[in-house]
Amino acid sequence: MAAPPAVNRRIIEALLGVELASATGHRLVLVHGSYEDPSAAEFTTEIAGVPRRIRVTDQPSVLGIVEAWQEHQEVTAGSDDVLVVTTGVDDAQLGWDLRGHAVHRSTRTVDRAEIVKHRFGAAEVDPRIRREDWLIDALLDAEPTSGWPRCGAVLTRDTAVRTLIEARLRAPALSDGGLDADALLDWSRTSAGPARFAMLSDAERAGLTRWLTETVGDGAPVLLGLAAVGRGADAIALGLVGSVLTGPAASAEAALSFGGLFGGLRFRPAELRSFTEVVEGTLERWVTEANSPALGSGNGGGARQRVLDVVERADELAAVADLTEVLAANRFLPSGFQARLRKVASALSTRPGAAAATAAETALRGLLEHCLATLYPQRLHAARMAVRLVRWLSTSDHAADSVAAGVRAHLSEWGWVDRALTVVWAGDPVGDPVVGLAYRTVYEAARARRDDLDETFAQHLAVWTRYASPHAPSGCLLVEQVLEQVALPLAAQRAPLVLLLDGMSSAVAAELGEQLIRRALIEVSPEEGHRAVAVSVLPSVTRVSRASLLTASLTIGDQSVEKDGFVAFWRKHRRDAALFHKGEIGGYAGHRLSESLIDALAGNGVVGVVLNTIDDALQHGREGDRTEWHLEDITYLPELLNAARGYGRPVVLVADHGHVLERSVMNLGPVAASGVESARWRTGVPEQGEVELAGPRVLYGHGRIVAPWREDIRYTHRRSGYHGGASLAEMTVPVLVLLPSAELVPSGWFVLPPESTVPAWWASRQTLEPIHPDVIAGAGSVGTPARRKTKALKQPEGVDGLFAVEDVTGIAPPSTAGDSPATVGARAVATEVYAAQRAFVRKAPDRPVVAAVIDALVAADGTLSLTAVANAAGRAGRNPDGFAATLQRLLNVEGYPVVGLADGGRTLKLDLELLRQQFGLGRP
């Protein structure tokens, strides 16, 4: 005869809740079972909402049952206390007189599945639950004091297990409907979760493992096996190290070393591989989360640290198992990132040239493919800058043959070199000696080339300075001409805001220019193909250069001279004007800008504001280790830009001179020289690295000074940076013009796509040339468009929309080779698929226009700013957002994203492979 099943207090309580609810008045319950909890032989429980006192006794014989019942009646006479007798005696052996007192006049058999069903308030129970004893046992044992939550008509297996997990492991994330590998891996990193799992019985752990494997995937057995032996916190790290089983360096020896990290645990190879794949997939998502701007700095920082904690621990485990070298190609380990960065360093250390640039480019791509690259932004940024310098060194740039060509080249090319040099000078942020040495090699090579350019420029400057004047500038825009030639044409439609950033170099202008375009401003220039650029007065110091710019005349003066001269210039042109200096910009509490400045911006007069942040940083040592400038770093600049856009004003962002940075080694001190007047100019006879400058544009030294062209010469005490010399960085005056609306583009000016302001070597792809608003491009390469003149930015009368038929007449047809269109764009628009798409687009642009845009995107590696896209279509400044929307309707067949917006809607991206597929173009 089989032994009666074991029962405990929880089972008894559950059974009584079912049996006594429908047996009012009975005080004896016979249960087929063996009570295993003698310490809880008497207790109180609630039945049908009423507290009842319960006494449990285990009796193996009929006599024992009779005696227990008689004793209970005597002791509890007059009460409703219940006696529960657990026994193995059959009903046939019990007399009818005894059974007559018992509930349902029989011994109750414990159906634990039924009890579980009732405890969840269900009418039915999933048949699978009945087949899993471990689950029923666990549910009966783990029921909380408040009882199980109601589950509806049917208690399903998934509901039962999820509820059990929440009760046992205190892990709601594992029990809700969103349970996935991410949640399980996150749970493994908690301090208490794996420990609770380890305390469960073998049967319950095995059951939960099976269910989680079914739910989450094949990675669960390894993770839970590690949690069971107290290694849950290392589970993700071990999963990363597990790539030795599948990576390019996989070997039996590596697998054996990896197995040693598990301390005797054994898993099937397929389980380990699955677990590694799950871990890597989860980490990729975590990295994406860490980089998500939506998280904000706080949460984003926590997400980043979560990833770093795991990968750094994985590196520690790899080192313990002597697997660091084997895992050098791993995409997640910091040691793998370091190995890839050193490959970049190795390529940088070779002799500059085309081969070095190609090797560095390849190594940088490998570094970018590492999953942690975005989590080490400063290290990645330095590597990018070093590779950019190598690209530049591989180009065939030649020294400019005039002052005008020199400052233009400096603003468009060499200032970007200076920007990269600043970052590379600072070196690797974590101080890796191998990488640092490579950066030094690149820095010295690029600096030597820049010195040659500065020396040649200084020679031209010395000749030019003798004769240069506003009437004979030799192709230069003089700093005192900026108001007349740049600001005044803008004022024809709306009075501009002139922002003078004292000391802004071309390198800083390049940085700020990139950020300004992201503010949905349109950049324009009076010169085709590049930003306007002026030449500073000599010496290139604030008192002469700034005063000359703001008064539109060669002069020396302080703020009062600047104010009077600024107002006088604009009064001469019948405009009111106001100039604000440092102490007049800030407002009272609650107002960032002063009331008088806001009133001026809201009015119709020209407004000028002098911002001293950059010059102050150089003068007073506040630049420190800064390698970059952001708009927010320039005090009041973001607020002024926002105000200008709000009031519809054009903005002229201009410097008075540039600067060089302090980069001397070991602080050797100032150069001993005679006639010292400032940090970067003196009187006397020029020495090595200096040039003598004389002429009408030299406003100090009685018209004759000596200025260094080398950036490492200074005559006074150490500061963060200097100006006053004859280098390109000091003499070049960047001029950036930004408009809130295309309607404000002056006649004859040019819209500058962002691509046109960036050197080709900087982005490592073809750079588009700006296209005049009066020009309509042909369907060929955007660099060599077919052109015709029209009225700039004027909508033809009676024509509705941007793409009316009148807008595209006269456009050259696509180039052909035989009977087949030659370009990708021309082939795409010649297909039947395109014809079908075009039939549903009202007033669609002509085929050559769309072909030209497609070809421009192909030439630019698939990404162009909306301004460049409009230029490629011959519609510079004309509703680029609308044009992009039309292109999407034309090219996105059945909703597939052949073209789409990116970068917050500022750029258009082309999926070339998808274009070929959707339009049946085949392979090139």
Side-chain angles (χ1 to χ4, degrees), residues 79-109:
S79 74
D80 62 353
D81 293 359
V82 177
L83 174 66
V84 177
V85 180
T86 59
T87 182
V89 178
D90 291 336
D91 279 357
Q93 298 176 265
L94 299 175
W96 278 105
D97 54 343
L98 180 61
R99 288 165 57 190
H101 294 284
V103 170
H104 298 301
R105 297 182 176 82
S106 64
T107 304
R108 309 311 297 163
T109 300

Short mmCIF file of all heavy atoms in Angstrom, two decimals, residues 79-109:
data_model
loop_
_atom_site.label_atom_id
_atom_site.label_comp_id
_atom_site.label_asym_id
_atom_site.label_seq_id
_atom_site.Cartn_x
_atom_site.Cartn_y
_atom_site.Cartn_z
N SER A 79 -17.58 25.37 21.02
CA SER A 79 -16.85 26.23 20.08
C SER A 79 -17.02 25.70 18.65
O SER A 79 -17.60 24.64 18.44
CB SER A 79 -15.36 26.27 20.46
OG SER A 79 -14.74 25.04 20.10
N ASP A 80 -16.49 26.43 17.69
CA ASP A 80 -16.53 25.97 16.30
C ASP A 80 -15.14 25.56 15.82
O ASP A 80 -14.87 25.55 14.62
CB ASP A 80 -17.12 27.04 15.37
CG ASP A 80 -16.28 28.31 15.36
OD1 ASP A 80 -15.31 28.42 16.15
OD2 ASP A 80 -16.56 29.21 14.52
N ASP A 81 -14.22 25.25 16.79
CA ASP A 81 -12.90 24.80 16.42
C ASP A 81 -12.98 23.54 15.58
O ASP A 81 -13.86 22.70 15.77
CB ASP A 81 -12.04 24.53 17.66
CG ASP A 81 -11.73 25.81 18.44
OD1 ASP A 81 -12.18 26.89 17.98
OD2 ASP A 81 -11.04 25.75 19.46
N VAL A 82 -12.02 23.41 14.64
CA VAL A 82 -12.03 22.31 13.70
C VAL A 82 -10.87 21.37 13.99
O VAL A 82 -9.74 21.82 14.28
CB VAL A 82 -11.92 22.84 12.25
CG1 VAL A 82 -11.84 21.68 11.25
CG2 VAL A 82 -13.11 23.75 11.92
N LEU A 83 -11.17 20.07 13.94
CA LEU A 83 -10.13 19.05 14.06
C LEU A 83 -9.87 18.49 12.67
O LEU A 83 -10.80 18.04 11.99
CB LEU A 83 -10.56 17.93 15.00
CG LEU A 83 -9.58 16.74 15.05
CD1 LEU A 83 -8.25 17.17 15.69
CD2 LEU A 83 -10.19 15.57 15.82
N VAL A 84 -8.60 18.53 12.26
CA VAL A 84 -8.18 17.92 11.00
C VAL A 84 -7.34 16.70 11.34
O VAL A 84 -6.35 16.81 12.08
CB VAL A 84 -7.36 18.90 10.14
CG1 VAL A 84 -6.87 18.20 8.86
CG2 VAL A 84 -8.19 20.13 9.79
N VAL A 85 -7.76 15.53 10.84
CA VAL A 85 -7.02 14.29 11.09
C VAL A 85 -6.43 13.84 9.77
O VAL A 85 -7.16 13.59 8.79
CB VAL A 85 -7.93 13.20 11.67
CG1 VAL A 85 -7.13 11.93 11.90
CG2 VAL A 85 -8.58 13.67 12.97
N THR A 86 -5.12 13.77 9.73
CA THR A 86 -4.45 13.20 8.54
C THR A 86 -4.17 11.73 8.82
O THR A 86 -3.73 11.36 9.92
CB THR A 86 -3.14 13.94 8.24
OG1 THR A 86 -2.25 13.86 9.36
CG2 THR A 86 -3.40 15.41 7.92
N THR A 87 -4.48 10.89 7.84
CA THR A 87 -4.37 9.45 8.08
C THR A 87 -4.22 8.70 6.76
O THR A 87 -4.55 9.21 5.70
CB THR A 87 -5.62 8.94 8.82
OG1 THR A 87 -5.46 7.55 9.09
CG2 THR A 87 -6.87 9.18 7.99
N GLY A 88 -3.73 7.47 6.90
CA GLY A 88 -3.66 6.59 5.73
C GLY A 88 -4.75 5.54 5.75
O GLY A 88 -4.77 4.64 4.89
N VAL A 89 -5.67 5.63 6.74
CA VAL A 89 -6.73 4.63 6.88
C VAL A 89 -7.79 4.85 5.80
O VAL A 89 -8.23 5.98 5.57
CB VAL A 89 -7.38 4.72 8.28
CG1 VAL A 89 -8.52 3.72 8.40
CG2 VAL A 89 -6.33 4.48 9.36
N ASP A 90 -8.25 3.75 5.16
CA ASP A 90 -9.28 3.84 4.12
C ASP A 90 -10.64 4.12 4.74
O ASP A 90 -10.91 3.76 5.90
CB ASP A 90 -9.35 2.54 3.32
CG ASP A 90 -8.12 2.33 2.47
OD1 ASP A 90 -7.44 3.34 2.13
OD2 ASP A 90 -7.82 1.17 2.14
N ASP A 91 -11.54 4.65 3.95
CA ASP A 91 -12.91 4.90 4.41
C ASP A 91 -13.60 3.61 4.83
O ASP A 91 -14.43 3.60 5.76
CB ASP A 91 -13.72 5.57 3.30
CG ASP A 91 -13.45 7.07 3.22
OD1 ASP A 91 -12.69 7.58 4.07
OD2 ASP A 91 -13.98 7.73 2.31
N ALA A 92 -13.29 2.51 4.13
CA ALA A 92 -13.96 1.24 4.43
C ALA A 92 -13.68 0.77 5.84
O ALA A 92 -14.48 0.03 6.44
CB ALA A 92 -13.52 0.18 3.42
N GLN A 93 -12.59 1.17 6.43
CA GLN A 93 -12.24 0.75 7.79
C GLN A 93 -12.85 1.66 8.85
O GLN A 93 -12.82 1.34 10.03
CB GLN A 93 -10.70 0.75 7.95
CG GLN A 93 -9.98 -0.24 7.02
CD GLN A 93 -8.48 -0.13 7.15
OE1 GLN A 93 -7.83 0.55 6.40
NE2 GLN A 93 -7.95 -0.81 8.16
N LEU A 94 -13.36 2.79 8.40
CA LEU A 94 -13.95 3.72 9.36
C LEU A 94 -15.45 3.45 9.49
O LEU A 94 -16.12 3.15 8.52
CB LEU A 94 -13.74 5.17 8.89
CG LEU A 94 -12.27 5.62 8.74
CD1 LEU A 94 -12.23 7.01 8.15
CD2 LEU A 94 -11.56 5.58 10.08
N GLY A 95 -15.95 3.53 10.70
CA GLY A 95 -17.38 3.31 10.91
C GLY A 95 -18.20 4.49 10.42
O GLY A 95 -17.73 5.62 10.33
N TRP A 96 -19.52 4.17 10.13
CA TRP A 96 -20.37 5.23 9.63
C TRP A 96 -20.63 6.29 10.71
O TRP A 96 -20.87 7.44 10.39
CB TRP A 96 -21.68 4.65 9.17
CG TRP A 96 -21.58 4.08 7.76
CD1 TRP A 96 -21.53 2.78 7.41
CD2 TRP A 96 -21.52 4.86 6.57
NE1 TRP A 96 -21.42 2.64 6.04
CE2 TRP A 96 -21.42 3.94 5.49
CE3 TRP A 96 -21.54 6.24 6.28
CZ2 TRP A 96 -21.34 4.35 4.16
CZ3 TRP A 96 -21.47 6.62 4.95
CH2 TRP A 96 -21.36 5.69 3.90
N ASP A 97 -20.60 5.87 11.96
CA ASP A 97 -20.83 6.86 13.01
C ASP A 97 -19.73 7.92 13.03
O ASP A 97 -19.97 9.10 13.22
CB ASP A 97 -20.94 6.19 14.37
CG ASP A 97 -19.73 5.31 14.68
OD1 ASP A 97 -18.99 4.97 13.72
OD2 ASP A 97 -19.53 4.99 15.86
N LEU A 98 -18.44 7.51 12.80
CA LEU A 98 -17.33 8.47 12.76
C LEU A 98 -17.38 9.30 11.47
O LEU A 98 -17.25 10.53 11.50
CB LEU A 98 -15.99 7.72 12.85
CG LEU A 98 -14.72 8.59 12.83
CD1 LEU A 98 -14.71 9.55 14.01
CD2 LEU A 98 -13.47 7.72 12.82
N ARG A 99 -17.58 8.63 10.39
CA ARG A 99 -17.63 9.34 9.11
C ARG A 99 -18.81 10.30 9.05
O ARG A 99 -18.77 11.31 8.33
CB ARG A 99 -17.73 8.34 7.96
CG ARG A 99 -16.41 7.59 7.72
CD ARG A 99 -16.60 6.36 6.85
NE ARG A 99 -17.19 6.71 5.57
CZ ARG A 99 -17.64 5.79 4.70
NH1 ARG A 99 -17.60 4.48 5.05
NH2 ARG A 99 -18.15 6.16 3.56
N GLY A 100 -19.83 10.02 9.81
CA GLY A 100 -20.98 10.91 9.82
C GLY A 100 -20.66 12.28 10.36
O GLY A 100 -21.33 13.26 10.04
N HIS A 101 -19.67 12.37 11.24
CA HIS A 101 -19.27 13.68 11.77
C HIS A 101 -18.33 14.43 10.81
O HIS A 101 -18.13 15.64 10.96
CB HIS A 101 -18.54 13.51 13.11
CG HIS A 101 -19.43 12.97 14.21
ND1 HIS A 101 -20.37 13.77 14.87
CD2 HIS A 101 -19.53 11.73 14.75
CE1 HIS A 101 -21.00 13.04 15.77
NE2 HIS A 101 -20.51 11.78 15.74
N ALA A 102 -17.72 13.72 9.88
CA ALA A 102 -16.71 14.32 9.01
C ALA A 102 -17.33 15.08 7.86
O ALA A 102 -18.45 14.78 7.42
CB ALA A 102 -15.76 13.24 8.47
N VAL A 103 -16.60 16.03 7.36
CA VAL A 103 -17.03 16.80 6.19
C VAL A 103 -17.21 15.86 5.02
O VAL A 103 -16.35 15.01 4.73
CB VAL A 103 -15.97 17.88 5.84
CG1 VAL A 103 -16.28 18.52 4.48
CG2 VAL A 103 -15.94 18.95 6.92
N HIS A 104 -18.37 15.95 4.35
CA HIS A 104 -18.71 15.13 3.20
C HIS A 104 -18.70 13.63 3.54
O HIS A 104 -18.68 12.80 2.63
CB HIS A 104 -17.78 15.40 2.02
CG HIS A 104 -17.87 16.81 1.51
ND1 HIS A 104 -19.04 17.38 1.05
CD2 HIS A 104 -16.92 17.78 1.41
CE1 HIS A 104 -18.81 18.62 0.68
NE2 HIS A 104 -17.53 18.90 0.89
N ARG A 105 -18.71 13.27 4.86
CA ARG A 105 -18.82 11.90 5.35
C ARG A 105 -17.78 10.97 4.71
O ARG A 105 -18.02 9.79 4.50
CB ARG A 105 -20.22 11.34 5.08
CG ARG A 105 -21.31 12.09 5.82
CD ARG A 105 -22.68 11.47 5.56
NE ARG A 105 -23.71 12.12 6.33
CZ ARG A 105 -24.32 13.26 6.00
NH1 ARG A 105 -23.97 13.85 4.85
NH2 ARG A 105 -25.24 13.80 6.78
N SER A 106 -16.60 11.54 4.45
CA SER A 106 -15.55 10.71 3.86
C SER A 106 -14.18 11.36 4.08
O SER A 106 -14.08 12.52 4.49
CB SER A 106 -15.78 10.54 2.36
OG SER A 106 -15.66 11.79 1.71
N THR A 107 -13.16 10.56 3.82
CA THR A 107 -11.79 11.10 3.89
C THR A 107 -11.52 11.87 2.60
O THR A 107 -11.74 11.35 1.51
CB THR A 107 -10.78 9.94 4.01
OG1 THR A 107 -11.13 9.16 5.16
CG2 THR A 107 -9.38 10.48 4.13
N ARG A 108 -11.05 13.11 2.77
CA ARG A 108 -10.83 13.96 1.62
C ARG A 108 -9.44 13.69 1.04
O ARG A 108 -8.44 13.59 1.77
CB ARG A 108 -10.92 15.45 1.97
CG ARG A 108 -12.20 15.84 2.73
CD ARG A 108 -13.45 15.29 2.09
NE ARG A 108 -13.65 15.84 0.73
CZ ARG A 108 -14.44 15.32 -0.15
NH1 ARG A 108 -15.11 14.18 0.14
NH2 ARG A 108 -14.59 15.88 -1.33
N THR A 109 -9.40 13.51 -0.24
CA THR A 109 -8.12 13.30 -0.92
C THR A 109 -7.57 14.66 -1.37
O THR A 109 -8.31 15.48 -1.93
CB THR A 109 -8.30 12.39 -2.15
OG1 THR A 109 -8.82 11.13 -1.70
CG2 THR A 109 -6.98 12.18 -2.87
#
